[in-house]
Amino acid sequence: MRSQTASAVEAVLFVAEKPVSRGELAKIVGATPRQVEAALAELAEAYAGSGLRLAHDGDDWQLVTSPEQATAVAAYLGVDRLRVSPASLETLAVIAYRQPVTRAEVEAIRGVNCDQTIYTLMQRRLIEERGRREAPGRPILYGTTWEFLECFGLASLDELPRALTPEGAITGPSAP
Amino acid sequence: MRSQTASAVEAVLFVAEKPVSRGELAKIVGATPRQVEAALAELAEAYAGSGLRLAHDGDDWQLVTSPEQATAVAAYLGVDRLRVSPASLETLAVIAYRQPVTRAEVEAIRGVNCDQTIYTLMQRRLIEERGRREAPGRPILYGTTWEFLECFGLASLDELPRALTPEGAITGPSAP
Amino acid sequence: MLASEGPRVTVEGFDGPLELLLELVEEKKLDILTVRLGDLADAYLARVRGLAALPADEVASFLALASRLVLLKARSLLPALEPLAPEDEGESEEELRARLMEYAVVRERAASLGQRLRSGERAFHREGGTPVDLPPRGGEVGALAAAWTRVLALAARQRQEDMVAPGERYSVEERTAEIETIVTERGAVAFSELLGPAPTLGWAVVTFIALLDLYRRVVVDLEQSGLFADILIRRRERGGALADR
């Protein structure tokens, strides 16, 4: 049994075709942002072990299927498994953990030209432009998308796998 | 915590854009129809008091929002409440309770031309064509849609109220 | 921006000089934190020798790193070289080590992302599901039931007031179906009864054409006892399929 706010949030997220922000949810269901936060926590807990899952990118929330049920859903939708080359995966890893980041920064870390891999990742909508850095040349900033979270079965960027290698000062935090 | 089959069924129904039959569900999640039936019962129970609901039309199943959350959903979708004329409502009532039914039969019961109201109801997708009667002229048969069930917050046609008090006829708005 | 859209050329499976260097470290089971990178110069050069056939700019970056490694090696062998202007030489061993370590982390992360991808455990959102022209919501089932009751009451009253011929709007097909039903249920019916007490011209025509259609399809027989007498419509033994309840 859910609280009324949680049920309302659940119903809205179910019909929503795109992620809904907490503020928008509060306005729609007639609750405070804090109540919505509690409702979202309640839902996340209720979905444990179910076929659904609550995903969020920053403050935008979406209802998705749980990764454990991917086989059945992919069978129903007839979706092919996504294939990404090792080179593209490296570029994606840099962008995912360092976003927002410029192409030059990605190239500095990987030590190779990343034009092609960034193009490929953009095409597959795994990354997107996130404005421009306020620096000479105003280079484009890149970040990951909702598709990225979905394709990798992540409920949020917090679920990015932690590297086992000690990171120290070398690897900066993934600032939003 | 759901059974694996229930979670898989839940995930598939979540992404499905149209109702899915029990047989299809069984094939997709790799279970027997009987196991799917148990899973559906499990889900129906789990959704009690939640923002979602398991609806079915015969053996076709669909996940919908619960009628209690209609206000929030309508607020999100920005949709008006159902606005149909009393005439359309009557035609809809005949089709709902007598489906599948031909236009001539609706007209015979209502005693008036129903062309316009049937057109309106079709446009609003509250009714749909359901094949043709195997009789001379093969007249079109009409039945209610999934949208109809959703609009009236019915889990299935079995939920159409049966007990009709004589008062119902008196208190309702008069027909045009 | 998208200068090189063609397939990337990689060197023997290596996407860049850092990757090749890291591969050598791992191959030789060395610790990035302690290994003297210059010691890898020979092995690195050996690999780079096979790159001659590749595009110049691709090979160049591998050679640039190779030269760094050779210099690091030389310096470790000849400590006297140390005073050479370090600023001109680009990054120091420590800087190169830091880059390599950072790259190692990226590789590890890429690998775990790849693992996730291969496991296929992905999520799906609902695609659409809500059509552009939104159906109405918020119908009241009570109002629907009331409307049904009203219709039934009206229909009952109509029946009591003796069925009036239901207007001219019937199509021939529907009229045909109707007559076929009556004939099936009762075996026979008089034409006058089909017309009703006060038939309009259109109603009579539709009914008559429907009868002709039924006769043509050998569903009914028509009998008339005399000129201008009532026509009796009788069902044939092997009539058409009759699905009407």
Side-chain angles (χ1 to χ4, degrees), chain B residues 54-65:
Chain B
L54 203 54
H56 72 102
D57 191 357
D59 212 20
D60 291 332
W61 297 78
Q62 194 175 37
L63 210 50
V64 297
T65 58

PDB file of all heavy atoms in Angstrom, chain B residues 54-65:
ATOM      1  N   LEU B  54      -3.727  -3.463 -13.150  1.00  0.00           N
ATOM      2  CA  LEU B  54      -3.696  -4.449 -14.221  1.00  0.00           C
ATOM      3  C   LEU B  54      -5.103  -4.515 -14.809  1.00  0.00           C
ATOM      4  O   LEU B  54      -6.057  -4.828 -14.100  1.00  0.00           O
ATOM      5  CB  LEU B  54      -3.286  -5.797 -13.635  1.00  0.00           C
ATOM      6  CG  LEU B  54      -2.688  -6.829 -14.567  1.00  0.00           C
ATOM      7  CD1 LEU B  54      -1.503  -6.256 -15.327  1.00  0.00           C
ATOM      8  CD2 LEU B  54      -2.253  -8.035 -13.772  1.00  0.00           C
ATOM      9  N   ALA B  55      -5.220  -4.192 -16.082  1.00  0.00           N
ATOM     10  CA  ALA B  55      -6.528  -4.252 -16.724  1.00  0.00           C
ATOM     11  C   ALA B  55      -6.521  -5.362 -17.760  1.00  0.00           C
ATOM     12  O   ALA B  55      -5.474  -5.696 -18.309  1.00  0.00           O
ATOM     13  CB  ALA B  55      -6.848  -2.917 -17.387  1.00  0.00           C
ATOM     14  N   HIS B  56      -7.669  -5.946 -18.004  1.00  0.00           N
ATOM     15  CA  HIS B  56      -7.723  -6.946 -19.062  1.00  0.00           C
ATOM     16  C   HIS B  56      -9.034  -6.885 -19.805  1.00  0.00           C
ATOM     17  O   HIS B  56     -10.077  -6.521 -19.270  1.00  0.00           O
ATOM     18  CB  HIS B  56      -7.503  -8.351 -18.502  1.00  0.00           C
ATOM     19  CG  HIS B  56      -8.667  -8.869 -17.705  1.00  0.00           C
ATOM     20  ND1 HIS B  56      -9.562  -9.779 -18.211  1.00  0.00           N
ATOM     21  CD2 HIS B  56      -9.087  -8.578 -16.455  1.00  0.00           C
ATOM     22  CE1 HIS B  56     -10.486 -10.045 -17.297  1.00  0.00           C
ATOM     23  NE2 HIS B  56     -10.218  -9.334 -16.224  1.00  0.00           N
ATOM     24  N   ASP B  57      -8.944  -7.203 -21.072  1.00  0.00           N
ATOM     25  CA  ASP B  57     -10.120  -7.298 -21.920  1.00  0.00           C
ATOM     26  C   ASP B  57     -10.083  -8.724 -22.428  1.00  0.00           C
ATOM     27  O   ASP B  57      -9.275  -9.051 -23.292  1.00  0.00           O
ATOM     28  CB  ASP B  57     -10.010  -6.283 -23.064  1.00  0.00           C
ATOM     29  CG  ASP B  57     -11.327  -6.164 -23.820  1.00  0.00           C
ATOM     30  OD1 ASP B  57     -12.270  -6.906 -23.471  1.00  0.00           O
ATOM     31  OD2 ASP B  57     -11.407  -5.338 -24.740  1.00  0.00           O
ATOM     32  N   GLY B  58     -10.898  -9.565 -21.848  1.00  0.00           N
ATOM     33  CA  GLY B  58     -10.814 -10.989 -22.163  1.00  0.00           C
ATOM     34  C   GLY B  58      -9.467 -11.509 -21.710  1.00  0.00           C
ATOM     35  O   GLY B  58      -9.117 -11.373 -20.546  1.00  0.00           O
ATOM     36  N   ASP B  59      -8.680 -12.011 -22.673  1.00  0.00           N
ATOM     37  CA  ASP B  59      -7.389 -12.581 -22.311  1.00  0.00           C
ATOM     38  C   ASP B  59      -6.234 -11.653 -22.666  1.00  0.00           C
ATOM     39  O   ASP B  59      -5.083 -12.050 -22.644  1.00  0.00           O
ATOM     40  CB  ASP B  59      -7.215 -13.926 -23.013  1.00  0.00           C
ATOM     41  CG  ASP B  59      -6.396 -14.875 -22.172  1.00  0.00           C
ATOM     42  OD1 ASP B  59      -6.309 -14.634 -20.946  1.00  0.00           O
ATOM     43  OD2 ASP B  59      -5.821 -15.817 -22.730  1.00  0.00           O
ATOM     44  N   ASP B  60      -6.556 -10.406 -22.994  1.00  0.00           N
ATOM     45  CA  ASP B  60      -5.523  -9.428 -23.319  1.00  0.00           C
ATOM     46  C   ASP B  60      -5.283  -8.533 -22.116  1.00  0.00           C
ATOM     47  O   ASP B  60      -6.230  -7.988 -21.556  1.00  0.00           O
ATOM     48  CB  ASP B  60      -5.943  -8.579 -24.519  1.00  0.00           C
ATOM     49  CG  ASP B  60      -5.965  -9.404 -25.788  1.00  0.00           C
ATOM     50  OD1 ASP B  60      -5.194 -10.376 -25.854  1.00  0.00           O
ATOM     51  OD2 ASP B  60      -6.756  -9.086 -26.681  1.00  0.00           O
ATOM     52  N   TRP B  61      -4.019  -8.380 -21.773  1.00  0.00           N
ATOM     53  CA  TRP B  61      -3.673  -7.676 -20.535  1.00  0.00           C
ATOM     54  C   TRP B  61      -2.892  -6.404 -20.796  1.00  0.00           C
ATOM     55  O   TRP B  61      -2.127  -6.303 -21.736  1.00  0.00           O
ATOM     56  CB  TRP B  61      -2.878  -8.611 -19.626  1.00  0.00           C
ATOM     57  CG  TRP B  61      -3.703  -9.782 -19.225  1.00  0.00           C
ATOM     58  CD1 TRP B  61      -3.981 -10.885 -19.984  1.00  0.00           C
ATOM     59  CD2 TRP B  61      -4.412  -9.956 -17.992  1.00  0.00           C
ATOM     60  NE1 TRP B  61      -4.811 -11.726 -19.302  1.00  0.00           N
ATOM     61  CE2 TRP B  61      -5.086 -11.202 -18.073  1.00  0.00           C
ATOM     62  CE3 TRP B  61      -4.529  -9.200 -16.818  1.00  0.00           C
ATOM     63  CZ2 TRP B  61      -5.863 -11.678 -17.030  1.00  0.00           C
ATOM     64  CZ3 TRP B  61      -5.304  -9.686 -15.783  1.00  0.00           C
ATOM     65  CH2 TRP B  61      -5.961 -10.905 -15.895  1.00  0.00           C
ATOM     66  N   GLN B  62      -3.105  -5.453 -19.920  1.00  0.00           N
ATOM     67  CA  GLN B  62      -2.435  -4.169 -20.075  1.00  0.00           C
ATOM     68  C   GLN B  62      -2.238  -3.515 -18.704  1.00  0.00           C
ATOM     69  O   GLN B  62      -3.056  -3.680 -17.810  1.00  0.00           O
ATOM     70  CB  GLN B  62      -3.275  -3.246 -20.969  1.00  0.00           C
ATOM     71  CG  GLN B  62      -2.509  -2.034 -21.456  1.00  0.00           C
ATOM     72  CD  GLN B  62      -3.306  -1.206 -22.438  1.00  0.00           C
ATOM     73  OE1 GLN B  62      -4.511  -1.063 -22.302  1.00  0.00           O
ATOM     74  NE2 GLN B  62      -2.640  -0.646 -23.428  1.00  0.00           N
ATOM     75  N   LEU B  63      -1.162  -2.778 -18.613  1.00  0.00           N
ATOM     76  CA  LEU B  63      -0.888  -2.030 -17.395  1.00  0.00           C
ATOM     77  C   LEU B  63      -1.422  -0.615 -17.598  1.00  0.00           C
ATOM     78  O   LEU B  63      -1.131   0.009 -18.616  1.00  0.00           O
ATOM     79  CB  LEU B  63       0.626  -2.007 -17.166  1.00  0.00           C
ATOM     80  CG  LEU B  63       1.173  -1.942 -15.750  1.00  0.00           C
ATOM     81  CD1 LEU B  63       0.536  -2.993 -14.877  1.00  0.00           C
ATOM     82  CD2 LEU B  63       2.682  -2.115 -15.780  1.00  0.00           C
ATOM     83  N   VAL B  64      -2.225  -0.136 -16.667  1.00  0.00           N
ATOM     84  CA  VAL B  64      -2.787   1.217 -16.783  1.00  0.00           C
ATOM     85  C   VAL B  64      -2.639   1.929 -15.443  1.00  0.00           C
ATOM     86  O   VAL B  64      -2.280   1.309 -14.450  1.00  0.00           O
ATOM     87  CB  VAL B  64      -4.293   1.178 -17.185  1.00  0.00           C
ATOM     88  CG1 VAL B  64      -4.456   0.554 -18.556  1.00  0.00           C
ATOM     89  CG2 VAL B  64      -5.102   0.425 -16.150  1.00  0.00           C
ATOM     90  N   THR B  65      -2.922   3.218 -15.442  1.00  0.00           N
ATOM     91  CA  THR B  65      -2.889   3.936 -14.168  1.00  0.00           C
ATOM     92  C   THR B  65      -4.187   3.644 -13.425  1.00  0.00           C
ATOM     93  O   THR B  65      -5.216   3.379 -14.029  1.00  0.00           O
ATOM     94  CB  THR B  65      -2.751   5.455 -14.367  1.00  0.00           C
ATOM     95  OG1 THR B  65      -3.835   5.900 -15.168  1.00  0.00           O
ATOM     96  CG2 THR B  65      -1.443   5.790 -15.046  1.00  0.00           C
TER      97      THR B  65
END
